[in-house]
Amino acid sequence: SAVISQKPSRDICQRGTSLTIQCQVDSQVTMMFWYRQQPGQSLTLIATANQGSEATYESGFVIDKFPISRPNLTFSTLTVSNMSPEDSSIYLCSGIPGFKTDTQYFGPGTRLTVL
Amino acid sequence: DQQVKQNSPSLSVQEGRISILNCDYTNSMFDYFLWYKKYPAEGPTFLISISSIKDKNEDGRFTVFLNKSAKHLSLHIVPSQPGDSAVYFCAARWGNDYKLSFGAGTTVTVRA
């Protein structure tokens, strides 16, 4: 299986600031995604992180609010910009390894609290 | 619009007995289904999956059943163990679109 790590594991931020979350995979993955899990809710896809090009965002999510980078096949970042308390969530990255495309592996998540 | 639904938010079962988790979906394009298990403060861990060309897939204590006509799938855990206490998510995708749609999750508690 692919091992995915995220940094930071948690953070408490002030309203109006931005936080960048890093996602590192131990092997090359063909696709990477970013999800959000709001308190008491399920996982919702934010965007597909495309290597070397702009991310593909789902309905309700925009690049200005959630800029994403993916400079290579094993690393991606998600920035939560101009944060408000409504952004308090767990943010998770996931990846599909090239050797096993039927399975999507998840990182441990970043728990964000915005005051 | 919730395309994957888990209508039971919680399930309590005695150790050694069977746990049955249910999941319904509305999008008939879904052709691949996955179950994930999630412990607090951890990311979801892949458990088992099934393709729409099958109606059953088994892996050790875990079996997933798919009823395409009813747009329903279920996960059976036999026998249930205390370590199975976690939140279980049903997820679905279709074609070469690897994006997952998740259900709301079912919290399983296995009583000793």
Side-chain angles (χ1 to χ4, degrees), chain A residues 79-107:
Chain A
T79 299
V80 186
S81 303
N82 188 24
M83 287 183 285
S84 66
E86 293 70 36
D87 295 321
S88 297
S89 294
I90 299 174
Y91 292 86
L92 303 108
C93 69
S94 70
I96 297 177
F99 59 85
K100 194 170 174 59
T101 58
D102 59 346
T103 304
Q104 191 169 141
Y105 296 96
F106 283 82

mmCIF file of all heavy atoms in Angstrom, chain A residues 79-107:
data_model
loop_
_atom_site.group_PDB
_atom_site.id
_atom_site.type_symbol
_atom_site.label_atom_id
_atom_site.label_comp_id
_atom_site.label_asym_id
_atom_site.label_seq_id
_atom_site.Cartn_x
_atom_site.Cartn_y
_atom_site.Cartn_z
ATOM 1 N N THR A 79 -3.682 25.006 0.162
ATOM 2 C CA THR A 79 -3.723 26.197 1.004
ATOM 3 C C THR A 79 -5.175 26.566 1.261
ATOM 4 O O THR A 79 -5.985 26.595 0.334
ATOM 5 C CB THR A 79 -2.985 27.373 0.338
ATOM 6 O OG1 THR A 79 -1.607 27.015 0.145
ATOM 7 C CG2 THR A 79 -3.051 28.625 1.201
ATOM 8 N N VAL A 80 -5.489 26.804 2.513
ATOM 9 C CA VAL A 80 -6.804 27.325 2.873
ATOM 10 C C VAL A 80 -6.612 28.820 3.115
ATOM 11 O O VAL A 80 -5.898 29.207 4.047
ATOM 12 C CB VAL A 80 -7.377 26.628 4.118
ATOM 13 C CG1 VAL A 80 -8.799 27.091 4.378
ATOM 14 C CG2 VAL A 80 -7.323 25.117 3.958
ATOM 15 N N SER A 81 -7.195 29.634 2.254
ATOM 16 C CA SER A 81 -6.902 31.072 2.252
ATOM 17 C C SER A 81 -7.977 31.870 2.968
ATOM 18 O O SER A 81 -9.154 31.477 2.998
ATOM 19 C CB SER A 81 -6.814 31.574 0.804
ATOM 20 O OG SER A 81 -5.843 30.870 0.080
ATOM 21 N N ASN A 82 -7.560 32.977 3.542
ATOM 22 C CA ASN A 82 -8.499 33.916 4.163
ATOM 23 C C ASN A 82 -9.530 33.149 4.999
ATOM 24 O O ASN A 82 -10.725 33.224 4.759
ATOM 25 C CB ASN A 82 -9.186 34.756 3.090
ATOM 26 C CG ASN A 82 -10.016 35.874 3.684
ATOM 27 O OD1 ASN A 82 -9.771 36.321 4.816
ATOM 28 N ND2 ASN A 82 -11.010 36.310 2.946
ATOM 29 N N MET A 83 -9.020 32.435 5.973
ATOM 30 C CA MET A 83 -9.855 31.488 6.711
ATOM 31 C C MET A 83 -10.932 32.143 7.565
ATOM 32 O O MET A 83 -10.753 33.248 8.098
ATOM 33 C CB MET A 83 -8.955 30.622 7.593
ATOM 34 C CG MET A 83 -8.152 29.602 6.799
ATOM 35 S SD MET A 83 -7.178 28.531 7.840
ATOM 36 C CE MET A 83 -5.850 29.630 8.322
ATOM 37 N N SER A 84 -12.031 31.423 7.694
ATOM 38 C CA SER A 84 -13.115 31.795 8.591
ATOM 39 C C SER A 84 -13.446 30.563 9.437
ATOM 40 O O SER A 84 -13.017 29.454 9.103
ATOM 41 C CB SER A 84 -14.342 32.244 7.790
ATOM 42 O OG SER A 84 -14.861 31.160 7.055
ATOM 43 N N PRO A 85 -14.207 30.735 10.521
ATOM 44 C CA PRO A 85 -14.543 29.577 11.360
ATOM 45 C C PRO A 85 -15.214 28.440 10.584
ATOM 46 O O PRO A 85 -15.068 27.271 10.960
ATOM 47 C CB PRO A 85 -15.485 30.171 12.405
ATOM 48 C CG PRO A 85 -15.020 31.588 12.543
ATOM 49 C CD PRO A 85 -14.612 32.000 11.146
ATOM 50 N N GLU A 86 -15.903 28.765 9.484
ATOM 51 C CA GLU A 86 -16.564 27.730 8.682
ATOM 52 C C GLU A 86 -15.564 26.799 7.991
ATOM 53 O O GLU A 86 -15.940 25.733 7.496
ATOM 54 C CB GLU A 86 -17.459 28.360 7.623
ATOM 55 C CG GLU A 86 -18.678 29.106 8.173
ATOM 56 C CD GLU A 86 -18.318 30.391 8.884
ATOM 57 O OE1 GLU A 86 -17.367 31.078 8.444
ATOM 58 O OE2 GLU A 86 -18.970 30.715 9.902
ATOM 59 N N ASP A 87 -14.307 27.209 7.932
ATOM 60 C CA ASP A 87 -13.267 26.364 7.333
ATOM 61 C C ASP A 87 -12.717 25.337 8.314
ATOM 62 O O ASP A 87 -11.881 24.506 7.931
ATOM 63 C CB ASP A 87 -12.123 27.239 6.812
ATOM 64 C CG ASP A 87 -12.546 28.136 5.666
ATOM 65 O OD1 ASP A 87 -13.329 27.662 4.816
ATOM 66 O OD2 ASP A 87 -12.117 29.309 5.631
ATOM 67 N N SER A 88 -13.179 25.382 9.545
ATOM 68 C CA SER A 88 -12.733 24.399 10.534
ATOM 69 C C SER A 88 -13.186 23.017 10.100
ATOM 70 O O SER A 88 -14.387 22.738 9.998
ATOM 71 C CB SER A 88 -13.305 24.727 11.908
ATOM 72 O OG SER A 88 -12.829 25.984 12.369
ATOM 73 N N SER A 89 -12.241 22.160 9.795
ATOM 74 C CA SER A 89 -12.524 20.839 9.232
ATOM 75 C C SER A 89 -11.280 19.982 9.372
ATOM 76 O O SER A 89 -10.222 20.464 9.765
ATOM 77 C CB SER A 89 -12.858 20.925 7.735
ATOM 78 O OG SER A 89 -14.052 21.608 7.488
ATOM 79 N N ILE A 90 -11.442 18.735 8.968
ATOM 80 C CA ILE A 90 -10.277 17.886 8.744
ATOM 81 C C ILE A 90 -10.032 17.854 7.237
ATOM 82 O O ILE A 90 -10.965 17.611 6.463
ATOM 83 C CB ILE A 90 -10.507 16.455 9.258
ATOM 84 C CG1 ILE A 90 -10.763 16.469 10.766
ATOM 85 C CG2 ILE A 90 -9.309 15.572 8.931
ATOM 86 C CD1 ILE A 90 -11.152 15.127 11.339
ATOM 87 N N TYR A 91 -8.821 18.131 6.840
ATOM 88 C CA TYR A 91 -8.456 18.126 5.423
ATOM 89 C C TYR A 91 -7.580 16.896 5.152
ATOM 90 O O TYR A 91 -6.593 16.672 5.846
ATOM 91 C CB TYR A 91 -7.737 19.415 5.039
ATOM 92 C CG TYR A 91 -8.651 20.615 5.101
ATOM 93 C CD1 TYR A 91 -8.848 21.303 6.300
ATOM 94 C CD2 TYR A 91 -9.357 21.031 3.982
ATOM 95 C CE1 TYR A 91 -9.712 22.384 6.371
ATOM 96 C CE2 TYR A 91 -10.217 22.116 4.038
ATOM 97 C CZ TYR A 91 -10.400 22.783 5.242
ATOM 98 O OH TYR A 91 -11.261 23.839 5.304
ATOM 99 N N LEU A 92 -7.964 16.120 4.161
ATOM 100 C CA LEU A 92 -7.253 14.880 3.863
ATOM 101 C C LEU A 92 -6.804 14.842 2.415
ATOM 102 O O LEU A 92 -7.552 15.253 1.528
ATOM 103 C CB LEU A 92 -8.145 13.664 4.109
ATOM 104 C CG LEU A 92 -8.735 13.502 5.509
ATOM 105 C CD1 LEU A 92 -10.229 13.792 5.486
ATOM 106 C CD2 LEU A 92 -8.511 12.104 6.039
ATOM 107 N N CYS A 93 -5.614 14.357 2.216
ATOM 108 C CA CYS A 93 -5.180 14.098 0.846
ATOM 109 C C CYS A 93 -5.232 12.599 0.598
ATOM 110 O O CYS A 93 -5.187 11.795 1.540
ATOM 111 C CB CYS A 93 -3.798 14.657 0.572
ATOM 112 S SG CYS A 93 -2.459 13.829 1.432
ATOM 113 N N SER A 94 -5.360 12.233 -0.639
ATOM 114 C CA SER A 94 -5.391 10.827 -1.010
ATOM 115 C C SER A 94 -4.649 10.624 -2.314
ATOM 116 O O SER A 94 -4.431 11.572 -3.069
ATOM 117 C CB SER A 94 -6.836 10.328 -1.140
ATOM 118 O OG SER A 94 -7.440 10.896 -2.282
ATOM 119 N N GLY A 95 -4.277 9.381 -2.566
ATOM 120 C CA GLY A 95 -3.556 9.078 -3.786
ATOM 121 C C GLY A 95 -3.910 7.715 -4.323
ATOM 122 O O GLY A 95 -4.301 6.820 -3.569
ATOM 123 N N ILE A 96 -3.807 7.578 -5.610
ATOM 124 C CA ILE A 96 -4.010 6.286 -6.266
ATOM 125 C C ILE A 96 -2.666 5.864 -6.837
ATOM 126 O O ILE A 96 -2.140 6.518 -7.747
ATOM 127 C CB ILE A 96 -5.053 6.390 -7.383
ATOM 128 C CG1 ILE A 96 -6.406 6.776 -6.794
ATOM 129 C CG2 ILE A 96 -5.155 5.069 -8.143
ATOM 130 C CD1 ILE A 96 -7.491 6.975 -7.824
ATOM 131 N N PRO A 97 -2.074 4.796 -6.289
ATOM 132 C CA PRO A 97 -0.767 4.378 -6.793
ATOM 133 C C PRO A 97 -0.872 3.776 -8.181
ATOM 134 O O PRO A 97 -1.888 3.187 -8.542
ATOM 135 C CB PRO A 97 -0.310 3.334 -5.770
ATOM 136 C CG PRO A 97 -1.563 2.843 -5.137
ATOM 137 C CD PRO A 97 -2.562 3.952 -5.194
ATOM 138 N N GLY A 98 0.201 3.922 -8.947
ATOM 139 C CA GLY A 98 0.181 3.410 -10.311
ATOM 140 C C GLY A 98 0.072 1.906 -10.370
ATOM 141 O O GLY A 98 -0.430 1.352 -11.333
ATOM 142 N N PHE A 99 0.507 1.227 -9.289
ATOM 143 C CA PHE A 99 0.500 -0.237 -9.317
ATOM 144 C C PHE A 99 -0.823 -0.832 -8.878
ATOM 145 O O PHE A 99 -1.036 -2.030 -8.952
ATOM 146 C CB PHE A 99 1.636 -0.776 -8.428
ATOM 147 C CG PHE A 99 1.562 -0.345 -6.987
ATOM 148 C CD1 PHE A 99 0.792 -1.037 -6.071
ATOM 149 C CD2 PHE A 99 2.254 0.772 -6.545
ATOM 150 C CE1 PHE A 99 0.733 -0.636 -4.740
ATOM 151 C CE2 PHE A 99 2.199 1.188 -5.230
ATOM 152 C CZ PHE A 99 1.438 0.483 -4.313
ATOM 153 N N LYS A 100 -1.731 -0.003 -8.373
ATOM 154 C CA LYS A 100 -2.998 -0.534 -7.865
ATOM 155 C C LYS A 100 -4.075 0.535 -8.013
ATOM 156 O O LYS A 100 -4.420 1.225 -7.064
ATOM 157 C CB LYS A 100 -2.835 -0.939 -6.399
ATOM 158 C CG LYS A 100 -3.977 -1.800 -5.865
ATOM 159 C CD LYS A 100 -3.638 -2.366 -4.502
ATOM 160 C CE LYS A 100 -4.801 -3.102 -3.878
ATOM 161 N NZ LYS A 100 -5.269 -4.229 -4.697
ATOM 162 N N THR A 101 -4.610 0.627 -9.217
ATOM 163 C CA THR A 101 -5.505 1.740 -9.495
ATOM 164 C C THR A 101 -6.902 1.564 -8.938
ATOM 165 O O THR A 101 -7.715 2.467 -9.020
ATOM 166 C CB THR A 101 -5.600 1.978 -11.004
ATOM 167 O OG1 THR A 101 -6.056 0.763 -11.621
ATOM 168 C CG2 THR A 101 -4.254 2.361 -11.584
ATOM 169 N N ASP A 102 -7.201 0.380 -8.370
ATOM 170 C CA ASP A 102 -8.552 0.194 -7.858
ATOM 171 C C ASP A 102 -8.686 0.646 -6.406
ATOM 172 O O ASP A 102 -9.760 0.526 -5.821
ATOM 173 C CB ASP A 102 -8.976 -1.273 -7.982
ATOM 174 C CG ASP A 102 -8.041 -2.200 -7.233
ATOM 175 O OD1 ASP A 102 -6.946 -1.776 -6.847
ATOM 176 O OD2 ASP A 102 -8.420 -3.369 -7.040
ATOM 177 N N THR A 103 -7.621 1.143 -5.827
ATOM 178 C CA THR A 103 -7.646 1.525 -4.418
ATOM 179 C C THR A 103 -7.122 2.939 -4.242
ATOM 180 O O THR A 103 -6.164 3.342 -4.883
ATOM 181 C CB THR A 103 -6.773 0.552 -3.592
ATOM 182 O OG1 THR A 103 -7.226 -0.777 -3.820
ATOM 183 C CG2 THR A 103 -6.877 0.868 -2.119
ATOM 184 N N GLN A 104 -7.753 3.676 -3.386
ATOM 185 C CA GLN A 104 -7.333 5.040 -3.073
ATOM 186 C C GLN A 104 -6.922 5.075 -1.603
ATOM 187 O O GLN A 104 -7.691 4.660 -0.744
ATOM 188 C CB GLN A 104 -8.487 6.003 -3.346
ATOM 189 C CG GLN A 104 -8.107 7.463 -3.311
ATOM 190 C CD GLN A 104 -9.225 8.359 -3.851
ATOM 191 O OE1 GLN A 104 -9.478 9.432 -3.329
ATOM 192 N NE2 GLN A 104 -9.900 7.935 -4.909
ATOM 193 N N TYR A 105 -5.698 5.543 -1.362
ATOM 194 C CA TYR A 105 -5.159 5.590 -0.013
ATOM 195 C C TYR A 105 -5.211 7.018 0.516
ATOM 196 O O TYR A 105 -5.023 7.979 -0.234
ATOM 197 C CB TYR A 105 -3.715 5.075 0.002
ATOM 198 C CG TYR A 105 -3.603 3.619 -0.381
ATOM 199 C CD1 TYR A 105 -3.308 3.247 -1.701
ATOM 200 C CD2 TYR A 105 -3.812 2.619 0.558
ATOM 201 C CE1 TYR A 105 -3.218 1.917 -2.056
ATOM 202 C CE2 TYR A 105 -3.718 1.280 0.203
ATOM 203 C CZ TYR A 105 -3.431 0.940 -1.109
ATOM 204 O OH TYR A 105 -3.348 -0.377 -1.456
ATOM 205 N N PHE A 106 -5.446 7.113 1.813
ATOM 206 C CA PHE A 106 -5.612 8.415 2.447
ATOM 207 C C PHE A 106 -4.503 8.716 3.439
ATOM 208 O O PHE A 106 -3.955 7.809 4.087
ATOM 209 C CB PHE A 106 -6.955 8.481 3.182
ATOM 210 C CG PHE A 106 -8.120 8.676 2.270
ATOM 211 C CD1 PHE A 106 -8.675 7.602 1.597
ATOM 212 C CD2 PHE A 106 -8.654 9.935 2.066
ATOM 213 C CE1 PHE A 106 -9.747 7.781 0.733
ATOM 214 C CE2 PHE A 106 -9.730 10.126 1.215
ATOM 215 C CZ PHE A 106 -10.273 9.043 0.547
ATOM 216 N N GLY A 107 -4.205 10.000 3.550
ATOM 217 C CA GLY A 107 -3.333 10.459 4.610
ATOM 218 C C GLY A 107 -4.090 10.533 5.918
ATOM 219 O O GLY A 107 -5.302 10.349 5.962
#
